[in-house]
Amino acid sequence: MNGVKLTPMLEQYLRVKSEYPDTLLFYRMGDFYELFFEDAVTASRELQITLTSRNPGAASPVPMAGVPHHAADGYLSQLLEKGFRVAVCDQIEDPKLAKGLVKRAVTRVLTPGTTVEDASLRAKEHNYLAALFWDEREKAGGLAWADFSTGEWSGLFSRDQARLWQWAIKMSPRELLLPDGFEPPRQIAAVGLQISRYPARPHFDLAPATQRILAAQGVADLAVLDVADKPPLVRAMGAILSYLIQTQKQDITHLSPFRPVNLSKHMLLDEVTERNLEIFRRLDGKKGPGTLVHVLDRTITPMGGRLLESMLRQPWLESAPILATQEAVSLFVTDGALRDAVRCALDSVYDLERLAARIYLNRCAPKDFVALRQSLFGLAALRAALLAVPGNAPASDACRADDENPEPASVGVMSSDESCNVLSDVSGDVSSGVSGDVFGDISGLDSALGRADGPYAPDSPVTPDSPVTPASGALAGLAAVLAQWDDLSDIRDLLTRAFVDAPPPLVTEGGLFLPGYRPELDELMELTEHGEGRLKELLAEEQQASNLPRLKLGFNRVFGYYFELTKSGGYVPEHFERRQTLADRERYVTPRLKELEERLMEAGEKRKALEYSLFREVRETVAACRQRLASMAGVVARLDVWQGLAEAAVRWDWTRPQIHEGLAMEIRAGRHPVVEAAAGGDYIPNDLTLDDDRRVLLITGPNMAGKSTVLRQTAIIAVLAQIGSFVPAASARVGLVDRVFCRVGASDNLAMGQSTFMVEMSETARILRQAGKRSLVVLDEIGRGTSTFDGLALAWAVAEALADREEGGVRTLFATHYHELTRLEGVLPGVRNYNIAIKQWRGDIIFLRRLVPGPADRSYGIEVARLAGVPRAVVRRAGEILEELEKTRDAAAGERAGHGPKSAGQPALPGIFANPGTTGETCLPCTAHPLSLELAALDVDRITPLEALRMLGDFKSRYGGENAS
Ligand SMILES: Nc1ncnc2c1ncn2[C@@H]1O[C@H](COP(=O)(O)OP(=O)(O)OP(=O)(O)O)[C@@H](O)[C@H]1O
């Protein structure tokens, strides 16, 4: 900037820019937004727009780049997508009236986490802005997140910083606010979260945070929001509000009531499990095909998609909402006509939730009202579809879309006829807003289902293992929804009367409203659109009244409109005022012509101004209905999720699982939904049971046999069951799961600054500490990332620690190539061997994909390598080496034991597995060392460092042998 001669305009620019140093400043000049200096260079590179200069030819030219203001949205969303923050500086006075330089000010700051424009949002995904605060002295922290585009917000308090970071990764916010100086772990950089740093004061300060929250939520006490005793969470929430106020330049009042995550009500799926189960992204980080959500998501509206996403992130842990959802899904499964009709109606419902928020925030364009109007017609159609259930045919015939889906063979719910009868009998309460469902109850359905005498009444808990039978709750749920239904017909009628079908993009240009909406506007429209006709009418009147058939109408810049007569003489009416005399003609005006002309001239401007004010009036009317809109958006989201889950169930032939509060899981003919979708009809289903006798399944089998698949399908079935979905199995009984841990051996996380093995072990440590009796642990080849002996020893110890618990082993599926582990069966309670069967045929192996009891005989790694196309010579050589290794192993075992056991495919571990003097029975530490038992029982999270030190001394003195002090 040195040497640049600053004009007043550039001085103004730099003054504004200095207040927004971390943003690109879009500076309004006429019909363009211009960027200068560094910003111009950046924008021209990122947006591929021309870089020019403000003062070409000057000694120090000022770089400049610009975009037309009417096309700014597209450019803004590109910048947001790339992670930039943009301050929009508008002219805040009419340039025509300005004395000197036009006043300008930043009217909003756009950031990736606060955007509300569709172009910068993904329809079926939330767009979270998050803030994390950690109080080092109190050892407690809070993470809050808000979707500004919908108004949903939530968060959690924890005394475990690692847990907060895990949640931060899991919620994957577009932007994360951190207090200055608070360093995030390296994972955060690796997962690509955008961090914005803010001074702790005043953004995270407790007192102002409290004030901001109370004002934003319209409550007098934080206790109402259940955060009064969670100061770090209050600080994080306060930071979010402060950031929103700062960027949006307006009060933030549209957020729904804050609901902290209630960990006791939801199944916990940490971010590693989500990743390993490929729920939202494949292991390679990509979205789309290959993920569970891609197979499952048959929702139609954005709200439905987002609700499904929330449900998958936090499945329920309580049976009531699961059963309620199952009931509703069952109804849509059995009644294909209803499902079709509802799908058809949903098709015309746009993103009601975000539309309502945009309108409320005054960030809407005319097209938003047209979309809203259409959505409200969709609401009426939706209600008609639901009401038509008793008659069945009429509503669905009109828009029956696809009959290709076969009905599922077995669904244990009532017939649609039975359903219909109940539909109109029961009323209930419909919760407001989509977010109402996400982390709390689905109150409409729950309350309808939780009838005092019903099997799912909240105070009649499902007893362990008691089967849950279908009930007529779905109809009650639907009836409850219908009883509270609001078509918003007043708003629909208003919008129908008001807006044309294809309004222009800008509110200031006019052309938005329909004739007949307001008489005064009609007049102006008539003038602007039919002004010429009016003039012609006046001409005809004058010609007739004065009998001047040769009278003409003309226009010039000096006089405007005029009448013209030739000088041939003759009569000139009295009210004609001469304006100009030419050689052969004279030009006149009349009072009526002047008045008409004035009205014509003004009409264009007046019309624009009137339309603008009418637009604002309509906006305010609709904004006042935000609560009703949000409430219906919630209803639509729920219906959409129900029908979507039903559609998936029918499409993939899934069944309704039985949920119970015991610990057993029985899956008959289970399938992995994603692998099945790819394999088509070739998928081979498997049975799997976890119960008291079979608590820890050790699954062996050749590479490629299908171990990981069966492991993950079980976890996925549990997740699906607990969101209330049907599951890919012929039948399933699922004992409620409070946490799923899914770890895959050699996941590479170099980018996160940890070695593969380190990552694996820290994840394993977390499981051993956190997994409880109700958890489901899925371990896929743990221990593979180190030397064989270390790996085997660790895998062994981990399996022991999970199986050998006072309250009974943790439900665990453990896939391993360490065949030695199979010896744990019969030694530790609940451990059972399974393998995935193969067949050998002419030296090749055939994968049968069947899970069968018993251990596998060996790994068949070399055979699989051959199948994979490893060159023959290498395969042959590997065979020879394997033979040598086995001979050495047998000889060594023979030396030590005389006749040691022939281990299955792995070298025995000296000193651990060989047991001299026995005849080949299992020789591992059948009973664990007392120290390991004590360690296993120790809850490290609950002891202080001092206690730990004391215990260490104690262990050393008791088990330290000679060296014990
Ligand atoms: N039940 C099944 N039916 C059909 N195909 C299957 C089935 N199970 C697995 N497959 C196919 O086999 C492939 C390998 O399965 P998977 O990764 O589960 O094997 P694995 O035993 O875990 O192998 P490795 O030990 O090498 O990790 C899958 O990608 C899938 O294509």
Side-chain angles (χ1 to χ4, degrees):
M1 227 171 294
N2 282 348
V4 174
K5 191 167 174 308
L6 294 180
T7 59
M9 191 279 299
L10 276 179
E11 274 173 6
Q12 184 190 52
Y13 168 86
L14 288 173
R15 212 169 35 247
V16 179
K17 173 72 190 173
S18 69
E19 289 169 32
Y20 297 89
D22 307 329
T23 61
L24 295 175
L25 186 67
F26 269 44
Y27 183 82
R28 181 73 183 262
M29 289 177 70
D31 284 344
F32 275 76
Y33 281 111
E34 301 288 2
L35 298 102
F36 298 106
F37 303 104
E38 271 301 301
D39 284 7
V41 178
T42 310
S44 84
R45 184 186 62 235
E46 299 293 337
L47 299 173
Q48 298 287 301
I49 53 177
T50 314
L51 181 65
T52 59
S53 103
R54 173 80 184 144
N55 45 355
S60 307
V62 175
M64 177 173 95
V67 300
H69 83 103
H70 59 81
D73 279 355
Y75 291 108
L76 288 171
S77 68
Q78 279 186 53
L79 290 171
L80 292 180
E81 189 58 40
K82 290 168 186 246
F84 289 98
R85 292 151 34 94
V86 182
V88 179
C89 180
D90 280 309
Q91 296 169 337
I92 53 169
E93 64 178 340
D94 188 339
K96 285 184 213 130
L97 307 176
K99 292 198 183 95
L101 192 62
V102 182
K103 281 201 193 105
R104 293 182 175 86
V106 169
T107 48
R108 63 203 159 112
V109 181
L110 303 172
T111 77
T114 59
T115 182
V116 294
E117 277 75 22
D118 274 346
S120 317
L121 295 167
R122 288 185 192 91
K124 286 189 168 186
E125 288 175 27
H126 285 102
N127 192 65
Y128 288 126
L129 163 72
L132 195 151
F133 183 85
W134 178 252
D135 186 335
E136 189 53 39
R137 224 178 29 191
E138 297 292 324
K139 294 273 180 266
L143 171 76
W145 56 85
D147 185 341
F148 187 60
S149 69
T150 63
E152 175 213 325
W153 72 325
S154 184
L156 84 160
F157 166 86
S158 176
R159 298 199 169 275
D160 178 356
Q161 194 184 136
R163 169 174 277 188
L164 292 174
W165 288 115
Q166 283 161 21
W167 273 83
I169 300 173
K170 177 180 160 83
M171 299 313 294
S172 63
R174 288 280 293 280
E175 240 180 312
L176 174 66
L177 311 178
L178 293 181
D180 252 350
F182 178 41
E183 282 312 315
R186 286 167 70 179
Q187 286 96 309
I188 294 290
V191 296
L193 285 190
Q194 179 168 338
I195 293 179
S196 303
R197 295 192 160 279
Y198 274 85
R201 280 165 192 273
H203 297 273
F204 287 85
D205 253 10
L206 190 57
T210 305
Q211 288 316 316
R212 281 194 291 273
I213 296 168
L214 296 180
Q217 299 273 273
V219 293
D221 191 344
L222 288 181
V224 179
L225 306 171
D226 194 18
V227 295
D229 53 348
K230 305 175 179 82
L233 179 55
V234 170
R235 288 166 181 265
M237 293 161 67
I240 286 189
L241 288 175
S242 154
Y243 188 73
L244 288 176
I245 293 166
Q246 217 178 52
T247 53
Q248 305 307 306
K249 309 273 172 202
Q250 65 185 69
D251 288 343
I252 304 301
T253 51
H254 85 301
L255 297 181
S256 52
F258 184 86
R259 293 177 183 231
V261 171
N262 186 339
L263 296 176
S264 64
K265 287 194 165 195
H266 293 277
M267 173 198 265
L268 286 183
L269 286 172
D270 55 52
E271 86 292 354
V272 182
T273 300
E274 260 182 31
R275 194 171 64 228
N276 288 334
L277 292 180
E278 301 182 291
I279 296 182
F280 299 107
R281 290 171 188 268
R282 299 196 308 247
L283 285 175
D284 64 10
K286 301 233 166 69
K287 296 180 180 177
T291 61
L292 176 63
V293 76
H294 186 74
V295 171
L296 179 68
D297 185 3
R298 305 272 147 169
T299 60
I300 290 184
T301 65
M303 293 87 79
R306 291 196 296 270
L307 178 58
L308 183 66
E309 180 204 316
S310 297
M311 289 163 71
L312 277 172
R313 284 204 194 279
Q314 292 181 271
W316 287 294
L317 180 53
E318 297 173 317
S319 46
I322 300 174
L323 295 168
T325 307
Q326 279 189 354
E327 287 289 293
V329 174
S330 298
L331 175 67
F332 282 101
V333 165
T334 45
D335 195 337
L338 170 66
R339 197 173 66 247
D340 285 350
V342 165
R343 285 176 70 78
C344 179
L346 285 172
D347 213 19
S348 56
V349 180
Y350 290 92
D351 198 336
L352 267 186
E353 200 183 18
R354 282 183 172 156
L355 282 172
R358 268 206 298 277
I359 291 170
Y360 182 81
L361 292 168
N362 198 7
R363 299 271 291 275
C364 48
K367 68 175 172 25
D368 287 334
F369 288 92
V370 177
L372 179 62
R373 180 174 70 196
Q374 178 162 346
S375 303
L376 299 183
F377 278 108
L379 279 190
L382 198 51
R383 186 165 67 118
L386 296 174
L387 283 173
V389 170
N392 268 333
S396 52
D397 275 356
C399 49
R400 181 181 291 266
D402 68 320
D403 288 329
E404 64 177 60
N405 300 327
E407 294 298 321
S410 59
V411 181
V413 290
M414 76 221 86
S415 73
S416 59
D417 281 345
E418 284 170 90
S419 315
C420 312
N421 301 335
V422 205
L423 192 61
S424 48
D425 293 348
V426 189
S427 67
D429 172 35
V430 179
S431 71
S432 65
V434 179
S435 58
D437 272 350
V438 178
F439 302 117
D441 306 329
I442 47 169
S443 47
L445 202 49
D446 288 351
S447 61
L449 288 171
R451 295 155 303 171
D453 57 343
Y456 314 130
D459 52 357
S460 62
V462 185
T463 54
D465 285 328
S466 66
V468 174
T469 50
S472 58
L475 297 313
L478 272 194
V481 163
L482 279 171
Q484 302 289 315
W485 195 274
D486 181 357
D487 272 344
L488 286 131
S489 50
D490 47 338
I491 299 297
R492 186 189 65 213
D493 294 346
L494 168 68
L495 300 179
T496 307
R497 278 187 288 114
F499 292 111
V500 297
D501 286 344
L506 293 178
V507 273
T508 44
E509 295 303 303
L512 309 172
F513 286 86
L514 283 168
Y517 179 63
R518 282 288 161 87
E520 62 270 35
L521 181 61
D522 284 352
E523 169 76 14
L524 295 172
M525 281 172 158
E526 172 66 18
L527 285 172
T528 49
E529 282 163 25
H530 307 113
E532 211 177 307
R534 289 279 192 101
L535 287 164
K536 280 186 184 155
E537 275 172 27
L538 187 63
L539 174 67
E541 273 176 40
E542 290 292 354
Q543 283 171 337
Q544 221 171 5
S546 313
N547 195 19
L548 291 168
R550 308 181 77 150
L551 186 69
K552 285 187 185 160
L553 183 71
F555 176 84
N556 71 23
R557 281 173 177 274
V558 187
F559 307 116
Y561 288 100
Y562 53 81
F563 289 128
E564 191 177 85
L565 284 172
T566 53
K567 272 187 176 166
S568 54
Y571 165 73
V572 176
E574 261 178 36
H575 61 285
F576 274 41
E577 295 168 26
R578 185 177 302 113
R579 276 294 150 93
Q580 195 179 18
T581 304
L582 301 177
D584 56 343
R585 299 159 263 176
E586 303 221 67
R587 289 175 175 170
Y588 305 90
V589 294
T590 66
R592 282 186 64 203
L593 181 62
K594 267 287 101 187
E595 190 206 324
L596 182 57
E597 177 185 339
E598 260 165 41
R599 281 171 49 215
L600 284 182
M601 294 297 183
E602 282 172 15
E605 288 310 308
K606 274 194 178 163
R607 175 180 175 178
K608 283 182 197 168
L610 180 60
E611 288 209 34
Y612 183 58
S613 91
L614 290 176
F615 179 83
R616 286 173 34 164
E617 208 178 277
V618 173
R619 190 202 72 77
E620 272 161 33
T621 311
V622 178
C625 300
R626 173 160 193 277
Q627 220 24 59
R628 290 167 65 199
L629 283 163
S631 167
M632 282 316 290
V635 169
V636 170
R638 269 197 299 281
L639 281 168
D640 195 9
V641 165
W642 296 338
Q643 73 72 25
L645 291 178
E647 182 74 10
V650 173
R651 167 69 183 83
W652 304 110
D653 196 12
W654 294 354
T655 41
R656 175 177 175 162
Q658 258 185 31
I659 298 292
H660 65 91
E661 300 212 341
L663 292 176
M665 276 184 86
E666 275 168 58
I667 297 166
R668 297 280 152 263
R671 288 115 60 197
H672 188 301
V674 178
V675 177
E676 186 188 22
D682 296 336
Y683 195 88
I684 294 158
N686 269 303
D687 297 347
L688 183 141
T689 302
L690 286 164
D691 55 19
D692 282 350
D693 288 340
R694 289 161 284 193
R695 203 53 85 68
V696 176
L697 306 191
L698 291 172
I699 302 175
T700 43
N703 294 97
M704 270 298 284
K707 298 183 295 299
S708 311
T709 307
V710 89
L711 249 59
R712 287 173 219 210
Q713 86 188 25
T714 310
I716 286 175
I717 286 175
V719 170
L720 287 175
Q722 288 186 222
I723 65 166
S725 167
F726 281 29
V727 299
S731 72
R733 291 187 70 239
V734 177
L736 289 170
V737 174
D738 65 356
R739 290 191 74 151
V740 176
F741 294 95
C742 178
R743 295 299 180 279
V744 179
S747 63
D748 220 342
N749 256 334
L750 296 180
M752 294 194 186
Q754 289 176 311
S755 79
T756 305
F757 185 65
M758 187 65 189
V759 171
E760 184 183 326
M761 282 304 114
S762 26
E763 288 173 1
T764 308
R766 202 154 84 189
I767 297 176
L768 293 178
R769 286 191 190 165
Q770 296 176 352
K773 138 171 165 233
R774 198 159 271 294
S775 307
L776 175 64
V777 176
V778 169
L779 294 176
D780 200 352
E781 302 193 21
I782 286 293
R784 205 168 56 166
T786 183
S787 76
T788 310
F789 283 0
D790 285 8
L792 169 53
L794 279 165
W796 189 298
V798 169
E800 269 184 357
L802 289 166
D804 205 7
R805 299 228 172 162
E806 242 172 61
E807 74 271 21
V810 180
R811 288 176 285 183
T812 304
L813 302 176
F814 199 122
T816 182
H817 283 291
Y818 296 126
H819 292 265
E820 284 76 6
L821 289 194
T822 58
R823 298 182 200 173
L824 285 172
E825 183 180 86
V827 176
L828 287 173
V831 175
R832 287 282 176 274
N833 286 322
Y834 279 81
N835 74 90
I836 311 258
I838 51 130
K839 221 175 171 178
Q840 272 190 291
W841 191 69
R842 291 189 186 167
D844 269 341
I845 53 173
I846 300 170
F847 297 112
L848 299 180
R849 315 275 187 216
R850 291 253 177 242
L851 183 69
V852 293
D857 56 350
R858 61 191 183 87
S859 275
Y860 299 91
I862 294 177
E863 285 82 348
V864 174
R866 182 147 61 95
L867 280 182
V870 173
R872 249 188 237 171
V874 177
V875 171
R876 201 167 40 240
R877 177 73 187 125
E880 288 163 14
I881 295 170
L882 178 64
E883 212 170 297
E884 279 304 307
L885 284 173
E886 283 178 347
K887 272 190 212 150
T888 321
R889 176 204 59 200
D890 291 348
E895 253 171 49
R896 276 194 307 275
H899 40 271
K902 196 165 172 140
S903 145
Q906 294 276 346
L909 290 190
I912 302 182
F913 298 107
N915 190 5
T918 62
T919 49
E921 312 84 71
T922 307
C923 38
L924 191 96
C926 306
T927 43
H929 190 284
L931 173 60
S932 69
L933 290 179
E934 282 192 53
L935 286 174
L938 198 67
D939 186 350
V940 182
D941 287 338
R942 289 179 185 272
I943 57 171
T944 65
L946 262 182
E947 276 170 340
L949 209 58
R950 189 187 51 70
M951 283 173 138
L952 198 59
D954 181 40
F955 290 154
K956 184 151 170 72
S957 66
R958 285 193 286 134
Y959 304 116
E962 287 173 9
N963 298 328
S965 55

